[in-house]
Amino acid sequence: MNLQTEIVADILSRIPIKSIFHCKCVCKTWHDLLSEPYFVNLHLPRSPAGLIIHRSNYPQETDILKLVELDGESDHHNIHHNPLTRFDLGLGFNYDALLLCETVNGLICLWNYYGVAGYICNPITREYILIPDQKYDSPYAIVTCGFGYVEASDEYKVVRLYMHMKTGKSECKIYTLGTGVWRSLGHLPFPLISFQNGIYLNGNLHWLTTDPEGTPNEMVCTFDLEKELFLLTPAAPFVVGRDVKDRIRYLGTLGECLCICDSTADFELSIWVMKDYEMKEMWSKEIVIREPSLQYQNVRPLIFLESGCILMVCLDRFLFTYCPEYGTVQIIEDAPKKAFDARVYVPSFIRLGSFVLENVFVF
């Protein structure tokens, strides 16, 4: 690659994603340049975080992904839908809608709860990979999925956890993109208590669980994707004087920290933040939101906006912002009676064809 081409690549890597789409149509030279690994690696760390919204119109079997840009404002103008990045995947199954598992470096993991198959897709390159798996007796089982990246080895891994609620049979399986095969790590060293998919942060996947010794204490299971080892640490404490069952707790991230959203019967949503894995008093209650529409809801923080507000998603219901300064909640987008989820998404031009032994399809 000559100096002039490097300069062009450097300039193009700094412009908005929708402008890059147009640049690919300028000439064959630019089209080829924007597909080269050099440009892909140059663009990714400069790509601004946006949002990916997943809607599933089950039973019509239509799965929609929408890429959303954020401008950091606190009013309804802070979300900009780009018609060039709205995709009808058409990947649904007869059994159930697909679930949005996780996004990492522009790659999105979608999973069918019944264990039939999963997908890794990149909506920017319009490519996807089918990851087949065996079907499980899901009405009597808990099945969750996780997706993450190992920087040291430049590997992307899908992790699936399974536990039969009657027999207690459990299993952890791992699929590394490019290998074409699942590997089993054997039985889980802890009980699964939630259908929530794993939360990816800092090279690890996280799930909520209970103490395997039989105590009622809630724990956070951390799975090291590089070492492929499990670690249990205490979860955020329950509020004294309230019934443990009288709440919904959901794992997520806030900034660069793991968090637990605790939704109770008295319209109070508490967000506990884990500051450090190694600290004894690792959890602190950072935010308390009093809002009737959030009672008994699965809520996940998404991203801090430049205005100081926090963008969040109430699963299957709506996107909303919370302003800590004024204690106000504003609904941004709702989706009644539809499967609805959102994640922070950093667009990239990673080509799925770079993973050997994978069949790549185009949508």
Side-chain angles (χ1 to χ4, degrees):
M1 182 175 293
N2 58 46
L3 179 59
Q4 182 178 358
T5 304
E6 291 181 357
I7 294 174
V8 172
D10 182 73
I11 294 173
L12 295 180
S13 69
R14 301 173 186 272
I15 64 178
I17 193 76
K18 58 185 177 183
S19 298
I20 297 178
F21 283 140
H22 296 306
C23 289
K24 295 187 74 171
C25 302
V26 170
C27 62
K28 186 179 184 301
T29 300
W30 280 22
H31 181 277
D32 294 342
L33 172 63
L34 297 175
S35 301
E36 290 184 2
Y38 176 81
F39 176 80
V40 173
N41 296 330
L42 194 64
H43 171 266
L44 182 57
R46 297 171 176 174
S47 184
L51 211 63
I52 198 78
I53 296 176
H54 175 239
R55 290 176 181 263
S56 185
N57 297 325
Y58 175 78
Q60 287 79 17
E61 298 184 5
T62 299
D63 286 273
I64 302 296
L65 288 177
K66 293 194 298 181
L67 179 60
V68 174
E69 297 175 356
L70 305 174
D71 64 12
E73 298 299 329
S74 59
D75 60 20
H76 66 281
H77 298 296
N78 66 334
I79 287 184
H80 301 290
H81 296 281
N82 183 356
L84 292 177
T85 50
R86 181 185 184 277
F87 309 103
D88 183 351
L89 297 179
L91 303 178
F93 291 96
N94 292 327
Y95 300 104
D96 199 3
L98 291 174
L99 303 176
L100 178 58
C101 176
E102 190 59 274
T103 73
V104 182
N105 293 344
L107 305 185
I108 301 172
C109 181
L110 295 157
W111 203 259
N112 180 272
Y113 167 69
Y114 283 79
V116 179
Y119 294 94
I120 303 296
C121 76
N122 185 340
I124 303 302
T125 62
R126 302 185 69 92
E127 299 172 317
Y128 71 88
I129 294 172
L130 171 66
I131 303 178
D133 197 11
Q134 67 189 91
K135 181 181 177 182
Y136 289 92
D137 193 13
S138 55
Y140 305 100
I142 298 176
V143 184
T144 79
C145 176
F147 177 57
Y149 175 65
V150 182
E151 185 175 3
S153 57
D154 192 27
E155 292 179 319
Y156 292 85
K157 296 183 179 182
V158 179
V159 179
R160 191 195 45 72
L161 307 183
Y162 164 85
M163 187 181 76
H164 197 285
M165 291 182 286
K166 289 187 175 180
T167 65
K169 176 185 175 182
S170 65
E171 186 180 22
C172 173
K173 295 176 68 177
I174 298 178
Y175 186 97
T176 302
L177 293 192
T179 63
V181 296
W182 286 92
R183 294 180 291 111
S184 177
L185 291 187
H187 295 295
L188 296 175
F190 60 89
L192 279 176
I193 63 170
S194 172
F195 294 93
Q196 181 186 358
N197 287 320
I199 300 298
Y200 174 72
L201 181 68
N202 297 330
N204 301 316
L205 290 171
H206 305 82
W207 287 270
L208 282 177
T209 183
T210 56
D211 192 332
E213 300 298 327
T215 66
N217 296 328
E218 194 174 53
M219 309 289 286
V220 172
C221 167
T222 299
F223 181 73
D224 188 316
L225 283 165
E226 181 179 2
K227 299 178 181 178
E228 299 187 350
L229 296 174
F230 290 102
L231 172 68
L232 290 178
T233 54
F238 292 104
V239 177
V240 177
R242 291 180 179 160
D243 190 341
V244 172
K245 298 180 181 179
D246 197 24
R247 67 187 63 245
I248 290 180
R249 283 160 72 90
Y250 210 73
L251 200 62
T253 58
L254 185 60
E256 297 298 322
C257 298
L258 201 66
C259 72
I260 291 178
C261 294
D262 195 344
S263 180
T264 63
D266 56 359
F267 311 133
E268 182 176 292
L269 174 70
S270 300
I271 301 180
W272 297 79
V273 177
M274 176 189 275
K275 297 294 187 180
D276 194 324
Y277 287 143
E278 305 299 328
M279 292 175 57
K280 183 177 180 180
E281 301 295 334
M282 61 184 71
W283 293 96
S284 63
K285 186 188 291 189
E286 298 289 319
I287 297 171
V288 175
I289 305 174
R290 292 177 175 85
E291 169 60 40
S293 63
L294 300 179
Q295 183 183 26
Y296 288 136
Q297 298 298 322
N298 291 324
V299 177
R300 181 190 302 115
L302 295 172
I303 192 170
F304 282 102
L305 301 176
E306 293 179 5
S307 62
C309 293
I310 306 171
L311 183 63
M312 305 189 193
V313 59
C314 184
L315 195 64
D316 292 334
R317 296 194 63 197
F318 50 79
L319 281 173
F320 68 99
T321 57
Y322 171 70
C323 178
E325 182 178 359
Y326 301 105
T328 55
V329 170
Q330 182 178 13
I331 295 178
I332 300 296
E333 180 172 341
D334 59 4
K337 301 181 181 180
K338 292 183 180 180
F340 175 84
D341 201 356
R343 293 287 195 283
V344 173
Y345 178 72
V346 178
S348 79
F349 289 87
I350 295 176
R351 302 304 299 257
L352 296 183
S354 63
F355 299 102
V356 297
L357 302 182
E358 301 290 357
N359 292 321
V360 179
F361 304 91
V362 178
F363 58 87

